[in-house]
Amino acid sequence: MSGIVVVYELDQRVAGSVLRVHAAPTAPGAGPERGPRTMCGKDTFAMETAGWNPSEHPGTWCPPDHADLACPACEAVMGED
């Protein structure tokens, strides 16, 4: 799963609280930097990049400790049910 960055959509009311976990393609020509939109089309500008690297974990793109917060639309695009 190279070319994928995991990002956290944060709750702006509660510091550090993750609302949803999204997958985003890497930006063209920017190495490991995330692109401007998630797989479901949300803007990544205000999101935080996770320390999880999907290419190091075959079969899953979302960190297991946040699996219950995985975006269903991103999950569908990533091919996981």
Side-chain angles (χ1 to χ4, degrees), residues 4-55:
I4 300 297
V5 178
V6 176
V7 291
Y8 295 139
E9 180 179 353
L10 301 176
D11 185 342
Q12 300 303 315
R13 300 167 294 167
V14 182
S17 179
V18 177
L19 284 176
R20 193 63 78 191
V21 180
H22 297 274
T26 55
E33 296 298 317
R34 67 180 182 236
R37 299 254 175 230
T38 64
M39 295 295 196
C40 67
K42 289 194 173 225
D43 188 340
T44 63
F45 177 75
M47 294 187 187
E48 180 180 301
T49 302
W52 180 263
N53 186 345
S55 65

Side-chain angles (χ1 to χ4, degrees), residues 45-80:
F45 177 75
M47 294 187 187
E48 180 180 301
T49 302
W52 180 263
N53 186 345
S55 65
E56 296 174 1
H57 305 277
T60 186
W61 66 270
C62 185
D65 57 334
H66 286 99
D68 59 329
L69 299 175
C71 169
C74 286
E75 199 163 291
V77 172
M78 296 300 294
E80 296 180 10

